[in-house]
Amino acid sequence: MQFTSFLQDGNLTVALTGEIDHHSAKGYIQSIAAKIEAYTPSVCILDFKEVSFVDSSGIAVVINALRCMTQIEGHLVLSGLSEQPMKVFRASGVDKLVQIKEAVS
Amino acid sequence: MKFENYMTLEFPSRSCNEAFARSAVACFAAQLDPTVEELGDIRTAVSEAVTNCIVHGYPEKLGTITVRCRILKGQILDIVVKDRGVGISDIEQARRPMFTTGGAERSGMGFTIMESFMTELEISSTPGKGTTVHMRRKLQRRK
Ligand SMILES: Nc1ncnc2c1ncn2[C@@H]1O[C@H](COP(=O)(O)OP(=O)(O)O)[C@@H](O)[C@H]1O
Ligand SMILES: [Mg+2]
């Protein structure tokens, strides 16, 4: 698990990398929750540009981030999704729960 | 394709083997000249099935997971993922979208994804004996 994050104008961007599966998901769930708790951003953007693979464990990462953001009445946005992650999120209805922008069709 | 090819993998239920298993199956599938999307679908479905063995099949201890792949006539990739773990008592319930016994770290969407990404999905299980997931994916004939 490897990621970078930065805060700008009250928006937190978390850039995820590599393959998100059960092996790496737990670390992401905890680190994202810690970042949101520390910065209480109004918007949290999960950037998937450098993510090459996602399975249903990645859905749990998004749902947990969504839960954290809902708790502080903020918004969650996913960005930079390539085709494989997009297909997983579409098949599971995640695209109806969170805003997705800049999907790399 | 006239001939048949096959391979079998056996590995312990360590989570680092999830990436290994899906990559190995994708490498084997490459001889069918799949599209990028087909390869992505196969990697995803294998990842789901193998993760289930690791998380649910062997929750307490390490066990052995077997992945068998065959290429059947008509560009069909046949995949069997098997564990000798705790088994599933109600398969119909387990297949339901969002059903999970795994808590907040699971989404309950694994079987739903396997079903939508593969052409066929068959689950057989005996509580206390283990679970077998049998998937098939028909690939486009290209060129
Ligand atoms: N190999 C397995 N051994 C035992 N139980 C399993 C296995 N695979 C799936 N299950 C059961 O089926 C449920 C649904 O699986 P799945 O759709 O992949 O969702 P998730 O893995 O997120 O729980 C699991 O929560 C578990 O109870
Ligand atoms: Mg699963």
Side-chain angles (χ1 to χ4, degrees), chain B residues 55-93:
Chain B
V55 177
H56 308 297
Y58 300 113
E60 308 284 325
K61 54 171 180 62
L62 284 179
T64 298
I65 299 169
T66 311
V67 176
R68 191 204 64 193
C69 294
R70 291 185 304 174
I71 288 169
L72 309 178
K73 268 187 193 149
Q75 290 270 106
I76 293 166
L77 181 66
D78 180 277
I79 306 168
V80 176
V81 178
K82 188 176 179 149
D83 68 61
R84 296 186 179 282
V86 300
I88 304 172
S89 52
D90 186 341
I91 293 174
E92 203 187 314
Q93 179 187 51

PDB file of all heavy atoms in Angstrom, chain B residues 55-93:
ATOM      1  N   VAL B  55     -10.272 -15.349   2.978  1.00  0.00           N
ATOM      2  CA  VAL B  55     -10.986 -14.626   4.036  1.00  0.00           C
ATOM      3  C   VAL B  55     -12.019 -15.505   4.732  1.00  0.00           C
ATOM      4  O   VAL B  55     -12.093 -15.547   5.959  1.00  0.00           O
ATOM      5  CB  VAL B  55     -11.698 -13.382   3.446  1.00  0.00           C
ATOM      6  CG1 VAL B  55     -12.498 -12.659   4.533  1.00  0.00           C
ATOM      7  CG2 VAL B  55     -10.702 -12.437   2.810  1.00  0.00           C
ATOM      8  N   HIS B  56     -12.840 -16.181   3.913  1.00  0.00           N
ATOM      9  CA  HIS B  56     -13.980 -16.910   4.472  1.00  0.00           C
ATOM     10  C   HIS B  56     -13.709 -18.411   4.638  1.00  0.00           C
ATOM     11  O   HIS B  56     -14.149 -19.014   5.601  1.00  0.00           O
ATOM     12  CB  HIS B  56     -15.208 -16.744   3.577  1.00  0.00           C
ATOM     13  CG  HIS B  56     -15.536 -15.318   3.265  1.00  0.00           C
ATOM     14  ND1 HIS B  56     -15.900 -14.411   4.235  1.00  0.00           N
ATOM     15  CD2 HIS B  56     -15.554 -14.627   2.089  1.00  0.00           C
ATOM     16  CE1 HIS B  56     -16.135 -13.230   3.661  1.00  0.00           C
ATOM     17  NE2 HIS B  56     -15.931 -13.331   2.366  1.00  0.00           N
ATOM     18  N   GLY B  57     -13.023 -19.002   3.664  1.00  0.00           N
ATOM     19  CA  GLY B  57     -12.804 -20.452   3.708  1.00  0.00           C
ATOM     20  C   GLY B  57     -11.902 -20.855   4.860  1.00  0.00           C
ATOM     21  O   GLY B  57     -12.165 -21.828   5.566  1.00  0.00           O
ATOM     22  N   TYR B  58     -10.834 -20.096   5.031  1.00  0.00           N
ATOM     23  CA  TYR B  58      -9.873 -20.394   6.095  1.00  0.00           C
ATOM     24  C   TYR B  58      -9.736 -19.186   7.031  1.00  0.00           C
ATOM     25  O   TYR B  58      -8.699 -18.511   7.029  1.00  0.00           O
ATOM     26  CB  TYR B  58      -8.501 -20.718   5.491  1.00  0.00           C
ATOM     27  CG  TYR B  58      -8.475 -21.904   4.551  1.00  0.00           C
ATOM     28  CD1 TYR B  58      -8.215 -21.725   3.191  1.00  0.00           C
ATOM     29  CD2 TYR B  58      -8.678 -23.202   5.016  1.00  0.00           C
ATOM     30  CE1 TYR B  58      -8.156 -22.816   2.316  1.00  0.00           C
ATOM     31  CE2 TYR B  58      -8.626 -24.296   4.154  1.00  0.00           C
ATOM     32  CZ  TYR B  58      -8.363 -24.094   2.810  1.00  0.00           C
ATOM     33  OH  TYR B  58      -8.304 -25.155   1.950  1.00  0.00           O
ATOM     34  N   PRO B  59     -10.770 -18.880   7.809  1.00  0.00           N
ATOM     35  CA  PRO B  59     -10.721 -17.672   8.637  1.00  0.00           C
ATOM     36  C   PRO B  59      -9.702 -17.747   9.775  1.00  0.00           C
ATOM     37  O   PRO B  59      -9.152 -16.724  10.178  1.00  0.00           O
ATOM     38  CB  PRO B  59     -12.146 -17.554   9.190  1.00  0.00           C
ATOM     39  CG  PRO B  59     -12.702 -18.941   9.132  1.00  0.00           C
ATOM     40  CD  PRO B  59     -12.025 -19.626   7.984  1.00  0.00           C
ATOM     41  N   GLU B  60      -9.452 -18.927  10.292  1.00  0.00           N
ATOM     42  CA  GLU B  60      -8.615 -19.059  11.494  1.00  0.00           C
ATOM     43  C   GLU B  60      -7.191 -19.475  11.170  1.00  0.00           C
ATOM     44  O   GLU B  60      -6.244 -19.024  11.795  1.00  0.00           O
ATOM     45  CB  GLU B  60      -9.211 -20.103  12.446  1.00  0.00           C
ATOM     46  CG  GLU B  60     -10.678 -19.895  12.779  1.00  0.00           C
ATOM     47  CD  GLU B  60     -10.879 -18.769  13.776  1.00  0.00           C
ATOM     48  OE1 GLU B  60     -10.007 -18.621  14.648  1.00  0.00           O
ATOM     49  OE2 GLU B  60     -11.891 -18.050  13.663  1.00  0.00           O
ATOM     50  N   LYS B  61      -7.061 -20.371  10.186  1.00  0.00           N
ATOM     51  CA  LYS B  61      -5.739 -20.958   9.953  1.00  0.00           C
ATOM     52  C   LYS B  61      -5.421 -20.938   8.467  1.00  0.00           C
ATOM     53  O   LYS B  61      -6.304 -20.719   7.644  1.00  0.00           O
ATOM     54  CB  LYS B  61      -5.726 -22.414  10.452  1.00  0.00           C
ATOM     55  CG  LYS B  61      -6.869 -23.244   9.840  1.00  0.00           C
ATOM     56  CD  LYS B  61      -6.715 -24.716  10.158  1.00  0.00           C
ATOM     57  CE  LYS B  61      -7.828 -25.574   9.576  1.00  0.00           C
ATOM     58  NZ  LYS B  61      -7.990 -25.630   8.154  1.00  0.00           N
ATOM     59  N   LEU B  62      -4.167 -21.194   8.139  1.00  0.00           N
ATOM     60  CA  LEU B  62      -3.792 -21.287   6.738  1.00  0.00           C
ATOM     61  C   LEU B  62      -4.257 -22.623   6.180  1.00  0.00           C
ATOM     62  O   LEU B  62      -4.251 -23.632   6.875  1.00  0.00           O
ATOM     63  CB  LEU B  62      -2.274 -21.199   6.582  1.00  0.00           C
ATOM     64  CG  LEU B  62      -1.634 -19.819   6.730  1.00  0.00           C
ATOM     65  CD1 LEU B  62      -0.130 -19.936   6.562  1.00  0.00           C
ATOM     66  CD2 LEU B  62      -2.206 -18.833   5.712  1.00  0.00           C
ATOM     67  N   GLY B  63      -4.697 -22.617   4.926  1.00  0.00           N
ATOM     68  CA  GLY B  63      -5.072 -23.857   4.262  1.00  0.00           C
ATOM     69  C   GLY B  63      -4.605 -23.798   2.830  1.00  0.00           C
ATOM     70  O   GLY B  63      -4.022 -22.799   2.399  1.00  0.00           O
ATOM     71  N   THR B  64      -4.867 -24.862   2.083  1.00  0.00           N
ATOM     72  CA  THR B  64      -4.408 -24.911   0.696  1.00  0.00           C
ATOM     73  C   THR B  64      -5.530 -24.509  -0.263  1.00  0.00           C
ATOM     74  O   THR B  64      -6.675 -24.927  -0.103  1.00  0.00           O
ATOM     75  CB  THR B  64      -3.908 -26.331   0.347  1.00  0.00           C
ATOM     76  OG1 THR B  64      -2.798 -26.621   1.199  1.00  0.00           O
ATOM     77  CG2 THR B  64      -3.458 -26.426  -1.105  1.00  0.00           C
ATOM     78  N   ILE B  65      -5.181 -23.707  -1.241  1.00  0.00           N
ATOM     79  CA  ILE B  65      -6.114 -23.295  -2.295  1.00  0.00           C
ATOM     80  C   ILE B  65      -5.624 -23.876  -3.612  1.00  0.00           C
ATOM     81  O   ILE B  65      -4.427 -23.840  -3.900  1.00  0.00           O
ATOM     82  CB  ILE B  65      -6.175 -21.755  -2.400  1.00  0.00           C
ATOM     83  CG1 ILE B  65      -6.659 -21.157  -1.074  1.00  0.00           C
ATOM     84  CG2 ILE B  65      -7.071 -21.317  -3.559  1.00  0.00           C
ATOM     85  CD1 ILE B  65      -6.507 -19.659  -0.983  1.00  0.00           C
ATOM     86  N   THR B  66      -6.548 -24.424  -4.383  1.00  0.00           N
ATOM     87  CA  THR B  66      -6.196 -24.957  -5.692  1.00  0.00           C
ATOM     88  C   THR B  66      -6.927 -24.169  -6.778  1.00  0.00           C
ATOM     89  O   THR B  66      -8.122 -23.918  -6.667  1.00  0.00           O
ATOM     90  CB  THR B  66      -6.598 -26.444  -5.816  1.00  0.00           C
ATOM     91  OG1 THR B  66      -6.120 -27.130  -4.667  1.00  0.00           O
ATOM     92  CG2 THR B  66      -6.002 -27.080  -7.053  1.00  0.00           C
ATOM     93  N   VAL B  67      -6.194 -23.772  -7.797  1.00  0.00           N
ATOM     94  CA  VAL B  67      -6.797 -23.101  -8.952  1.00  0.00           C
ATOM     95  C   VAL B  67      -6.463 -23.935 -10.188  1.00  0.00           C
ATOM     96  O   VAL B  67      -5.293 -24.162 -10.476  1.00  0.00           O
ATOM     97  CB  VAL B  67      -6.239 -21.672  -9.140  1.00  0.00           C
ATOM     98  CG1 VAL B  67      -6.819 -21.027 -10.405  1.00  0.00           C
ATOM     99  CG2 VAL B  67      -6.542 -20.803  -7.927  1.00  0.00           C
ATOM    100  N   ARG B  68      -7.512 -24.417 -10.863  1.00  0.00           N
ATOM    101  CA  ARG B  68      -7.280 -25.196 -12.079  1.00  0.00           C
ATOM    102  C   ARG B  68      -7.881 -24.455 -13.266  1.00  0.00           C
ATOM    103  O   ARG B  68      -9.028 -24.027 -13.223  1.00  0.00           O
ATOM    104  CB  ARG B  68      -7.931 -26.579 -11.965  1.00  0.00           C
ATOM    105  CG  ARG B  68      -7.511 -27.546 -13.075  1.00  0.00           C
ATOM    106  CD  ARG B  68      -8.550 -28.626 -13.296  1.00  0.00           C
ATOM    107  NE  ARG B  68      -9.808 -28.038 -13.760  1.00  0.00           N
ATOM    108  CZ  ARG B  68     -10.964 -28.689 -13.812  1.00  0.00           C
ATOM    109  NH1 ARG B  68     -11.045 -29.928 -13.405  1.00  0.00           N
ATOM    110  NH2 ARG B  68     -12.051 -28.090 -14.267  1.00  0.00           N
ATOM    111  N   CYS B  69      -7.091 -24.304 -14.311  1.00  0.00           N
ATOM    112  CA  CYS B  69      -7.588 -23.627 -15.517  1.00  0.00           C
ATOM    113  C   CYS B  69      -7.493 -24.564 -16.699  1.00  0.00           C
ATOM    114  O   CYS B  69      -6.514 -25.306 -16.828  1.00  0.00           O
ATOM    115  CB  CYS B  69      -6.729 -22.416 -15.854  1.00  0.00           C
ATOM    116  SG  CYS B  69      -6.833 -21.128 -14.652  1.00  0.00           S
ATOM    117  N   ARG B  70      -8.497 -24.528 -17.540  1.00  0.00           N
ATOM    118  CA  ARG B  70      -8.468 -25.309 -18.778  1.00  0.00           C
ATOM    119  C   ARG B  70      -8.956 -24.449 -19.927  1.00  0.00           C
ATOM    120  O   ARG B  70      -9.808 -23.579 -19.745  1.00  0.00           O
ATOM    121  CB  ARG B  70      -9.374 -26.534 -18.667  1.00  0.00           C
ATOM    122  CG  ARG B  70      -8.847 -27.577 -17.701  1.00  0.00           C
ATOM    123  CD  ARG B  70      -9.701 -28.808 -17.713  1.00  0.00           C
ATOM    124  NE  ARG B  70     -11.092 -28.483 -17.429  1.00  0.00           N
ATOM    125  CZ  ARG B  70     -12.085 -29.358 -17.480  1.00  0.00           C
ATOM    126  NH1 ARG B  70     -11.852 -30.613 -17.817  1.00  0.00           N
ATOM    127  NH2 ARG B  70     -13.316 -28.985 -17.209  1.00  0.00           N
ATOM    128  N   ILE B  71      -8.422 -24.743 -21.095  1.00  0.00           N
ATOM    129  CA  ILE B  71      -8.944 -24.096 -22.292  1.00  0.00           C
ATOM    130  C   ILE B  71      -9.754 -25.133 -23.049  1.00  0.00           C
ATOM    131  O   ILE B  71      -9.265 -26.222 -23.362  1.00  0.00           O
ATOM    132  CB  ILE B  71      -7.790 -23.543 -23.146  1.00  0.00           C
ATOM    133  CG1 ILE B  71      -7.203 -22.325 -22.420  1.00  0.00           C
ATOM    134  CG2 ILE B  71      -8.304 -23.145 -24.533  1.00  0.00           C
ATOM    135  CD1 ILE B  71      -5.920 -21.832 -22.991  1.00  0.00           C
ATOM    136  N   LEU B  72     -11.015 -24.802 -23.246  1.00  0.00           N
ATOM    137  CA  LEU B  72     -11.916 -25.715 -23.928  1.00  0.00           C
ATOM    138  C   LEU B  72     -12.176 -25.221 -25.339  1.00  0.00           C
ATOM    139  O   LEU B  72     -11.955 -24.049 -25.647  1.00  0.00           O
ATOM    140  CB  LEU B  72     -13.247 -25.818 -23.162  1.00  0.00           C
ATOM    141  CG  LEU B  72     -13.154 -26.107 -21.667  1.00  0.00           C
ATOM    142  CD1 LEU B  72     -14.543 -26.128 -21.050  1.00  0.00           C
ATOM    143  CD2 LEU B  72     -12.435 -27.434 -21.414  1.00  0.00           C
ATOM    144  N   LYS B  73     -12.657 -26.125 -26.167  1.00  0.00           N
ATOM    145  CA  LYS B  73     -12.972 -25.762 -27.551  1.00  0.00           C
ATOM    146  C   LYS B  73     -13.904 -24.565 -27.607  1.00  0.00           C
ATOM    147  O   LYS B  73     -14.800 -24.430 -26.782  1.00  0.00           O
ATOM    148  CB  LYS B  73     -13.658 -26.947 -28.241  1.00  0.00           C
ATOM    149  CG  LYS B  73     -12.666 -27.832 -28.940  1.00  0.00           C
ATOM    150  CD  LYS B  73     -13.394 -28.902 -29.754  1.00  0.00           C
ATOM    151  CE  LYS B  73     -12.384 -29.954 -30.169  1.00  0.00           C
ATOM    152  NZ  LYS B  73     -12.964 -31.285 -30.285  1.00  0.00           N
ATOM    153  N   GLY B  74     -13.683 -23.709 -28.576  1.00  0.00           N
ATOM    154  CA  GLY B  74     -14.562 -22.550 -28.746  1.00  0.00           C
ATOM    155  C   GLY B  74     -14.149 -21.364 -27.905  1.00  0.00           C
ATOM    156  O   GLY B  74     -14.993 -20.595 -27.457  1.00  0.00           O
ATOM    157  N   GLN B  75     -12.828 -21.218 -27.654  1.00  0.00           N
ATOM    158  CA  GLN B  75     -12.314 -20.042 -26.934  1.00  0.00           C
ATOM    159  C   GLN B  75     -12.920 -19.914 -25.542  1.00  0.00           C
ATOM    160  O   GLN B  75     -13.323 -18.828 -25.141  1.00  0.00           O
ATOM    161  CB  GLN B  75     -12.620 -18.771 -27.730  1.00  0.00           C
ATOM    162  CG  GLN B  75     -11.844 -18.605 -29.012  1.00  0.00           C
ATOM    163  CD  GLN B  75     -10.546 -17.850 -28.771  1.00  0.00           C
ATOM    164  OE1 GLN B  75      -9.476 -18.441 -28.784  1.00  0.00           O
ATOM    165  NE2 GLN B  75     -10.624 -16.562 -28.544  1.00  0.00           N
ATOM    166  N   ILE B  76     -13.029 -21.047 -24.828  1.00  0.00           N
ATOM    167  CA  ILE B  76     -13.608 -20.990 -23.493  1.00  0.00           C
ATOM    168  C   ILE B  76     -12.528 -21.221 -22.443  1.00  0.00           C
ATOM    169  O   ILE B  76     -11.795 -22.205 -22.493  1.00  0.00           O
ATOM    170  CB  ILE B  76     -14.733 -22.031 -23.339  1.00  0.00           C
ATOM    171  CG1 ILE B  76     -15.912 -21.641 -24.242  1.00  0.00           C
ATOM    172  CG2 ILE B  76     -15.200 -22.118 -21.894  1.00  0.00           C
ATOM    173  CD1 ILE B  76     -16.910 -22.748 -24.431  1.00  0.00           C
ATOM    174  N   LEU B  77     -12.438 -20.297 -21.498  1.00  0.00           N
ATOM    175  CA  LEU B  77     -11.537 -20.458 -20.363  1.00  0.00           C
ATOM    176  C   LEU B  77     -12.361 -20.970 -19.189  1.00  0.00           C
ATOM    177  O   LEU B  77     -13.341 -20.359 -18.784  1.00  0.00           O
ATOM    178  CB  LEU B  77     -10.881 -19.113 -20.018  1.00  0.00           C
ATOM    179  CG  LEU B  77      -9.887 -19.151 -18.852  1.00  0.00           C
ATOM    180  CD1 LEU B  77      -8.656 -19.981 -19.197  1.00  0.00           C
ATOM    181  CD2 LEU B  77      -9.476 -17.733 -18.460  1.00  0.00           C
ATOM    182  N   ASP B  78     -11.954 -22.115 -18.667  1.00  0.00           N
ATOM    183  CA  ASP B  78     -12.675 -22.791 -17.598  1.00  0.00           C
ATOM    184  C   ASP B  78     -11.797 -22.716 -16.338  1.00  0.00           C
ATOM    185  O   ASP B  78     -10.646 -23.130 -16.369  1.00  0.00           O
ATOM    186  CB  ASP B  78     -12.899 -24.245 -18.051  1.00  0.00           C
ATOM    187  CG  ASP B  78     -13.640 -25.079 -17.035  1.00  0.00           C
ATOM    188  OD1 ASP B  78     -12.984 -25.591 -16.104  1.00  0.00           O
ATOM    189  OD2 ASP B  78     -14.859 -25.219 -17.184  1.00  0.00           O
ATOM    190  N   ILE B  79     -12.343 -22.157 -15.268  1.00  0.00           N
ATOM    191  CA  ILE B  79     -11.542 -21.927 -14.049  1.00  0.00           C
ATOM    192  C   ILE B  79     -12.239 -22.558 -12.841  1.00  0.00           C
ATOM    193  O   ILE B  79     -13.424 -22.324 -12.616  1.00  0.00           O
ATOM    194  CB  ILE B  79     -11.368 -20.412 -13.778  1.00  0.00           C
ATOM    195  CG1 ILE B  79     -10.803 -19.693 -15.007  1.00  0.00           C
ATOM    196  CG2 ILE B  79     -10.484 -20.183 -12.563  1.00  0.00           C
ATOM    197  CD1 ILE B  79     -10.882 -18.173 -14.906  1.00  0.00           C
ATOM    198  N   VAL B  80     -11.493 -23.347 -12.071  1.00  0.00           N
ATOM    199  CA  VAL B  80     -12.032 -23.910 -10.834  1.00  0.00           C
ATOM    200  C   VAL B  80     -11.159 -23.450  -9.665  1.00  0.00           C
ATOM    201  O   VAL B  80      -9.945 -23.629  -9.688  1.00  0.00           O
ATOM    202  CB  VAL B  80     -12.066 -25.453 -10.891  1.00  0.00           C
ATOM    203  CG1 VAL B  80     -12.525 -26.029  -9.561  1.00  0.00           C
ATOM    204  CG2 VAL B  80     -12.968 -25.932 -12.022  1.00  0.00           C
ATOM    205  N   VAL B  81     -11.788 -22.833  -8.673  1.00  0.00           N
ATOM    206  CA  VAL B  81     -11.066 -22.375  -7.477  1.00  0.00           C
ATOM    207  C   VAL B  81     -11.631 -23.137  -6.282  1.00  0.00           C
ATOM    208  O   VAL B  81     -12.845 -23.135  -6.046  1.00  0.00           O
ATOM    209  CB  VAL B  81     -11.227 -20.853  -7.269  1.00  0.00           C
ATOM    210  CG1 VAL B  81     -10.519 -20.409  -5.993  1.00  0.00           C
ATOM    211  CG2 VAL B  81     -10.700 -20.089  -8.475  1.00  0.00           C
ATOM    212  N   LYS B  82     -10.737 -23.807  -5.553  1.00  0.00           N
ATOM    213  CA  LYS B  82     -11.211 -24.743  -4.542  1.00  0.00           C
ATOM    214  C   LYS B  82     -10.492 -24.587  -3.203  1.00  0.00           C
ATOM    215  O   LYS B  82      -9.282 -24.433  -3.158  1.00  0.00           O
ATOM    216  CB  LYS B  82     -10.939 -26.154  -5.099  1.00  0.00           C
ATOM    217  CG  LYS B  82     -11.501 -27.282  -4.313  1.00  0.00           C
ATOM    218  CD  LYS B  82     -11.229 -28.581  -5.054  1.00  0.00           C
ATOM    219  CE  LYS B  82     -11.783 -29.706  -4.219  1.00  0.00           C
ATOM    220  NZ  LYS B  82     -12.253 -30.821  -4.991  1.00  0.00           N
ATOM    221  N   ASP B  83     -11.265 -24.637  -2.115  1.00  0.00           N
ATOM    222  CA  ASP B  83     -10.636 -24.695  -0.790  1.00  0.00           C
ATOM    223  C   ASP B  83     -11.241 -25.854   0.003  1.00  0.00           C
ATOM    224  O   ASP B  83     -12.293 -26.372  -0.341  1.00  0.00           O
ATOM    225  CB  ASP B  83     -10.803 -23.358  -0.033  1.00  0.00           C
ATOM    226  CG  ASP B  83     -12.242 -23.051   0.375  1.00  0.00           C
ATOM    227  OD1 ASP B  83     -12.830 -23.830   1.151  1.00  0.00           O
ATOM    228  OD2 ASP B  83     -12.783 -22.014  -0.074  1.00  0.00           O
ATOM    229  N   ARG B  84     -10.543 -26.253   1.046  1.00  0.00           N
ATOM    230  CA  ARG B  84     -11.046 -27.301   1.938  1.00  0.00           C
ATOM    231  C   ARG B  84     -11.336 -26.699   3.304  1.00  0.00           C
ATOM    232  O   ARG B  84     -10.992 -27.246   4.346  1.00  0.00           O
ATOM    233  CB  ARG B  84     -10.035 -28.448   2.047  1.00  0.00           C
ATOM    234  CG  ARG B  84      -9.821 -29.156   0.724  1.00  0.00           C
ATOM    235  CD  ARG B  84      -8.928 -30.379   0.877  1.00  0.00           C
ATOM    236  NE  ARG B  84      -8.770 -31.042  -0.404  1.00  0.00           N
ATOM    237  CZ  ARG B  84      -9.691 -31.830  -0.962  1.00  0.00           C
ATOM    238  NH1 ARG B  84     -10.828 -32.071  -0.327  1.00  0.00           N
ATOM    239  NH2 ARG B  84      -9.470 -32.379  -2.138  1.00  0.00           N
ATOM    240  N   GLY B  85     -11.969 -25.530   3.257  1.00  0.00           N
ATOM    241  CA  GLY B  85     -12.212 -24.777   4.481  1.00  0.00           C
ATOM    242  C   GLY B  85     -13.584 -25.020   5.074  1.00  0.00           C
ATOM    243  O   GLY B  85     -14.139 -26.118   4.969  1.00  0.00           O
ATOM    244  N   VAL B  86     -14.157 -23.956   5.649  1.00  0.00           N
ATOM    245  CA  VAL B  86     -15.370 -24.108   6.458  1.00  0.00           C
ATOM    246  C   VAL B  86     -16.645 -24.375   5.652  1.00  0.00           C
ATOM    247  O   VAL B  86     -17.625 -24.899   6.167  1.00  0.00           O
ATOM    248  CB  VAL B  86     -15.612 -22.861   7.350  1.00  0.00           C
ATOM    249  CG1 VAL B  86     -14.444 -22.647   8.298  1.00  0.00           C
ATOM    250  CG2 VAL B  86     -15.860 -21.607   6.513  1.00  0.00           C
ATOM    251  N   GLY B  87     -16.632 -24.000   4.378  1.00  0.00           N
ATOM    252  CA  GLY B  87     -17.811 -24.238   3.545  1.00  0.00           C
ATOM    253  C   GLY B  87     -18.899 -23.187   3.734  1.00  0.00           C
ATOM    254  O   GLY B  87     -18.804 -22.311   4.584  1.00  0.00           O
ATOM    255  N   ILE B  88     -19.936 -23.301   2.881  1.00  0.00           N
ATOM    256  CA  ILE B  88     -21.064 -22.351   2.913  1.00  0.00           C
ATOM    257  C   ILE B  88     -22.337 -23.150   3.159  1.00  0.00           C
ATOM    258  O   ILE B  88     -22.609 -24.114   2.452  1.00  0.00           O
ATOM    259  CB  ILE B  88     -21.188 -21.610   1.563  1.00  0.00           C
ATOM    260  CG1 ILE B  88     -19.872 -20.894   1.211  1.00  0.00           C
ATOM    261  CG2 ILE B  88     -22.351 -20.626   1.579  1.00  0.00           C
ATOM    262  CD1 ILE B  88     -19.845 -20.290  -0.188  1.00  0.00           C
ATOM    263  N   SER B  89     -23.127 -22.751   4.164  1.00  0.00           N
ATOM    264  CA  SER B  89     -24.334 -23.532   4.465  1.00  0.00           C
ATOM    265  C   SER B  89     -25.504 -23.118   3.575  1.00  0.00           C
ATOM    266  O   SER B  89     -26.324 -23.953   3.196  1.00  0.00           O
ATOM    267  CB  SER B  89     -24.708 -23.392   5.947  1.00  0.00           C
ATOM    268  OG  SER B  89     -24.769 -22.028   6.295  1.00  0.00           O
ATOM    269  N   ASP B  90     -25.590 -21.847   3.202  1.00  0.00           N
ATOM    270  CA  ASP B  90     -26.686 -21.389   2.356  1.00  0.00           C
ATOM    271  C   ASP B  90     -26.105 -20.627   1.152  1.00  0.00           C
ATOM    272  O   ASP B  90     -25.798 -19.434   1.242  1.00  0.00           O
ATOM    273  CB  ASP B  90     -27.620 -20.479   3.170  1.00  0.00           C
ATOM    274  CG  ASP B  90     -28.876 -20.080   2.398  1.00  0.00           C
ATOM    275  OD1 ASP B  90     -28.884 -20.183   1.151  1.00  0.00           O
ATOM    276  OD2 ASP B  90     -29.846 -19.653   3.055  1.00  0.00           O
ATOM    277  N   ILE B  91     -25.952 -21.339   0.049  1.00  0.00           N
ATOM    278  CA  ILE B  91     -25.294 -20.754  -1.118  1.00  0.00           C
ATOM    279  C   ILE B  91     -26.146 -19.648  -1.746  1.00  0.00           C
ATOM    280  O   ILE B  91     -25.630 -18.612  -2.170  1.00  0.00           O
ATOM    281  CB  ILE B  91     -24.956 -21.848  -2.163  1.00  0.00           C
ATOM    282  CG1 ILE B  91     -23.875 -22.783  -1.586  1.00  0.00           C
ATOM    283  CG2 ILE B  91     -24.449 -21.234  -3.465  1.00  0.00           C
ATOM    284  CD1 ILE B  91     -23.552 -23.988  -2.431  1.00  0.00           C
ATOM    285  N   GLU B  92     -27.454 -19.868  -1.760  1.00  0.00           N
ATOM    286  CA  GLU B  92     -28.346 -18.864  -2.361  1.00  0.00           C
ATOM    287  C   GLU B  92     -28.215 -17.518  -1.645  1.00  0.00           C
ATOM    288  O   GLU B  92     -28.124 -16.462  -2.266  1.00  0.00           O
ATOM    289  CB  GLU B  92     -29.791 -19.365  -2.278  1.00  0.00           C
ATOM    290  CG  GLU B  92     -30.718 -18.729  -3.299  1.00  0.00           C
ATOM    291  CD  GLU B  92     -32.157 -19.151  -3.049  1.00  0.00           C
ATOM    292  OE1 GLU B  92     -32.398 -20.362  -2.842  1.00  0.00           O
ATOM    293  OE2 GLU B  92     -33.014 -18.261  -3.029  1.00  0.00           O
ATOM    294  N   GLN B  93     -28.169 -17.587  -0.334  1.00  0.00           N
ATOM    295  CA  GLN B  93     -28.000 -16.373   0.469  1.00  0.00           C
ATOM    296  C   GLN B  93     -26.626 -15.745   0.225  1.00  0.00           C
ATOM    297  O   GLN B  93     -26.508 -14.526   0.066  1.00  0.00           O
ATOM    298  CB  GLN B  93     -28.137 -16.759   1.950  1.00  0.00           C
ATOM    299  CG  GLN B  93     -27.959 -15.625   2.927  1.00  0.00           C
ATOM    300  CD  GLN B  93     -27.935 -16.133   4.368  1.00  0.00           C
ATOM    301  OE1 GLN B  93     -27.192 -17.050   4.709  1.00  0.00           O
ATOM    302  NE2 GLN B  93     -28.774 -15.553   5.199  1.00  0.00           N
TER     303      GLN B  93
END
